[in-house]
């Protein structure tokens, strides 16, 4: 059966997958091996060394390509290893335009690692296309988009940004970690590369760290595969298996993340002790119309600012939470709370952070799939 024509909820389970050739195992075995027997030099069954390829990783890579509507998937040892591989497509003097409100680790690898090698980064607001258009010149080789953004939940119009790269030698990469392919398909909207921290929703169970890239174009896939093999930041067979298993329930988990997210966003908005709530599902969210157009629903990530709160008040709230776990990361079945200023976004200079709205009292929630009443009671007691 051609898996291209399957619906998303079937692709998560069957996309790119076949029962294992050896014994018909329904789940791909964890091929925990570094090397493969050869009958004569070069005489092998498609695998010779597990940095270059491993059957469990191949199964994950095919699944990733299927669910994102791409042709090729590549799995890495972490989301940042996947970003690292994309940046290695560039050469000194090349310029990158990135969303200004982005994952702290992405900002850090851009500024602290790749700037040193002569790559120039511009960070701009992408709520409209003007700021991007202003920065594009002949040296621009990559546009890096996160949407919804972390942690401000800004929405970037992927199709509109893609239209700026048409006919130009500029790649558009979208970090699809927050939305997942259940909510939005960047390749369909004109992106060249989709990137994931599969550590988050794709894995979904907070039990592994994995990264992914998905592309449509063969030549681009070949270049990325060369980098993946040459630099070697691959993910192991056990981690590949865990993400593959996670993907099989992605659609049901995401549906519940979205349902719970909606109820909690509305609860927080109606709470007089809360000053501001950031969630793209609100009609008064500045780019709600774009979110409605390019996303199927609004996801389970919410940020809020307690009324009149400062740094210490936010810390007290996150410490008081009992069902929500205070932790880095997001996208697992359990609800997590984080304090960006001291956690995920601590590597971003304070003035840059404040300019982007990440104030000291901002709290970020990853809404899990527990009973939503318990989540609300927990927030109620912590905010009070
Ligand atoms: C976590 C995260 C990353 C980095 O991924 P790792 O798997 O932690 O290396 C990149 N982008 C976003 C949006 C993330 O949330």
């Amino acid at each position: 059966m051609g898996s291209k024509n399957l619906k998303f909820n079937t692709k998560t389970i069957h996309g790119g997958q076949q029962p294992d050739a050896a014994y018909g195992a329904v789940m791909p075995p964890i091929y925990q091996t570094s090397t493969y027997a050869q009958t004569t030099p070069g005489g092998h069954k498609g695998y010779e060394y597990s940095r270059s390829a491993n059957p469990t990783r191949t199964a994950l890579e095919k699944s990733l390509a299927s669910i994102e509507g791409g042709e090729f998937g590549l799995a890495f040892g972490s989301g940042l290893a996947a970003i690292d591989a994309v940046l290695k497509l560039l050469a000194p003097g090349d310029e990158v335009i990135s969303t200004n409100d982005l994952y702290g680790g992405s900002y850090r690898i851009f500024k602290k690692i790749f700037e040193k090698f002569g790559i120039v980064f511009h960070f701009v607001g992408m709520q409209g296309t003007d700021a991007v258009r202003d920065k594009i010149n002949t040296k621009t080789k990559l546009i890096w988009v996160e949407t919804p953004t972390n942690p401000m939940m800004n929405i970037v119009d992927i199709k509109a940004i893609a239209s700026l790269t048409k006919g130009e030698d500029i790649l558009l990469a979208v970090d699809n970690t927050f939305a997942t392919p259940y909510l939005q398909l960047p390749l369909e909207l004109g992106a060249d590369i989709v990137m994931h921290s599969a550590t988050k929703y794709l894995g979904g169970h907070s039990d592994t760290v994995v990264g992914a890239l998905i592309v449509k174009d063969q030549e681009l896939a070949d270049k990325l595969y060369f980098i993946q093999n040459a630099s070697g930041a691959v993910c192991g067979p056990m981690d590949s298996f865990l993400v593959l298993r996670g993907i099989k329930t992605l659609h049901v988990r995401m549906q519940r993340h979205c349902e719970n997210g909606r109820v909690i966003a509305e609860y927080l908005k109606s709470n007089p002790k809360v000053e501001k709530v950031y969630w793209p599902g609100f009609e008064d969210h500045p780019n709600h119309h774009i979110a409605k157009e390019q996303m199927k629903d609004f996801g389970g990530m919410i940020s809020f600012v307690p009324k009149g709160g400062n740094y210490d008040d936010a810390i007290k709230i996150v410490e008081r939470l009992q069902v929500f776990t205070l932790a880095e990361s997001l996208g697992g079945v359990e609800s997590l709370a984080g304090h960006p200023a001291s956690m995920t976004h601590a590597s971003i200079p304070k003035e840059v952070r404040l300019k982007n709205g990440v104030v000291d009292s901002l709290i970020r929630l990853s809404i899990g799939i527990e009973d939503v009443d318990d989540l609300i009671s927990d927030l109620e007691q912590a905010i009070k």
Side-chain angles (χ1 to χ4, degrees):
M1 184 169 31
S3 69
K4 284 233 163 60
N5 302 321
L6 298 173
K7 301 257 202 259
F8 184 80
N9 295 353
T10 312
K11 281 184 180 172
T12 56
I13 296 163
H14 299 290
Q17 306 299 302
Q18 274 153 8
D20 182 62
Y23 297 110
V26 167
M27 270 309 277
I30 302 161
Y31 283 98
Q32 195 71 51
T33 186
S34 61
T35 191
Y36 306 80
Q38 306 192 10
T39 48
T40 180
H44 55 75
K45 298 178 175 171
Y47 294 92
E48 41 191 336
Y49 186 62
S50 282
R51 170 164 31 73
S52 310
N54 169 285
T56 319
R57 197 173 90 219
T58 303
L60 170 61
E61 293 178 332
K62 289 195 164 152
S63 166
L64 290 164
S66 169
I67 60 175
E68 281 287 356
E71 296 289 336
F72 308 95
L74 298 105
F76 293 84
S78 70
L80 278 163
I83 297 175
D84 180 81
V86 174
L87 296 172
K88 284 174 177 161
L89 294 166
L90 305 175
D94 286 351
E95 297 192 7
V96 179
I97 305 171
S98 163
T99 17
N100 57 3
D101 164 27
L102 85 163
Y103 179 68
S106 307
Y107 181 85
R108 183 175 56 197
I109 193 173
F110 291 175
K111 293 290 287 182
K112 298 275 169 73
I113 307 274
F114 280 90
E115 207 168 69
K116 219 168 49 191
F117 296 115
I119 295 166
V120 178
F121 294 90
H122 302 284
F123 297 91
V124 302
M126 292 195 187
Q127 277 77 280
T129 52
D130 290 355
V132 180
R133 193 180 286 112
D134 285 351
K135 283 279 183 261
I136 291 181
N137 63 58
T138 53
K139 293 186 201 138
T140 309
K141 288 288 162 344
L142 174 68
I143 298 181
W144 190 268
V145 167
E146 226 182 273
T147 181
T149 65
N150 182 5
M152 299 310 294
M153 312 300 156
N154 288 315
I155 298 292
V156 179
D157 187 339
I158 298 171
K159 217 189 250 175
I161 302 284
S163 73
L164 302 178
T165 66
K166 283 273 135 47
E168 307 285 337
D169 182 21
I170 303 173
L171 292 170
L172 171 60
V174 176
D175 181 337
N176 207 25
T177 301
F178 269 36
T180 83
Y182 174 82
L183 294 178
Q184 98 193 344
L185 292 166
L187 296 175
E188 264 181 18
L189 299 169
D192 302 293
I193 303 174
V194 168
M195 175 260 150
H196 274 280
S197 170
T199 313
K200 316 293 168 55
Y201 286 107
L202 297 190
H205 295 73
S206 307
D207 52 10
T208 184
V209 174
V210 170
L213 299 176
I214 302 98
V215 302
K216 276 186 161 166
D217 180 69
Q218 170 92 56
E219 203 184 318
L220 180 57
D222 290 347
K223 285 185 194 163
L224 289 168
Y225 173 70
F226 180 85
I227 294 167
Q228 183 194 36
N229 185 45
S231 287
V234 295
C235 79
M238 180 70 199
D239 300 296
S240 300
F241 174 88
L242 287 170
V243 175
L244 203 47
R245 185 164 79 159
I247 288 173
K248 286 180 190 282
T249 55
L250 178 65
H251 51 303
V252 275
R253 287 185 287 109
M254 284 309 291
Q255 185 180 346
R256 182 62 61 85
H257 284 297
C258 292
E259 287 165 10
N260 283 359
R262 174 184 301 278
V263 175
I264 289 176
E266 279 161 7
Y267 155 75
L268 287 170
K269 200 172 196 179
S270 70
N271 187 326
K273 296 244 160 32
V274 173
E275 175 135 355
K276 225 166 161 19
V277 187
Y278 299 93
W279 178 66
F282 291 133
E283 283 192 14
D284 60 0
H285 180 288
N287 272 348
H288 174 70
H289 59 290
I290 298 165
K292 242 170 98 173
E293 179 83 23
Q294 76 184 12
M295 298 169 76
K296 180 178 153 141
D297 204 336
F298 304 106
M301 296 301 298
I302 302 169
S303 293
F304 74 97
V305 177
K307 188 155 263 165
N310 56 27
Y311 192 96
D312 294 334
D313 296 324
I315 300 276
K316 263 185 230 139
I317 291 174
V318 294
E319 283 176 352
R320 275 199 293 259
L321 288 165
Q322 284 164 9
V323 181
F324 281 82
T325 303
L326 171 60
E328 303 264 3
S329 201
L330 61 108
V333 289
E334 64 288 298
S335 293
L336 300 179
H339 179 236
S342 65
M343 296 168 71
T344 46
H345 288 63
S347 54
I348 296 180
K350 185 164 180 179
E351 65 282 4
V352 177
R353 177 165 65 72
L354 291 178
K355 210 172 81 196
N356 298 332
V358 188
V359 296
D360 286 346
S361 58
L362 187 84
I363 293 170
R364 190 190 78 179
L365 302 176
S366 169
I367 307 301
I369 62 172
E370 301 95 334
D371 193 296
V372 74
D373 293 343
D374 290 331
L375 299 178
I376 288 182
S377 309
D378 193 30
L379 287 166
E380 181 77 18
Q381 64 80 22
I383 296 170
K384 206 162 57 188

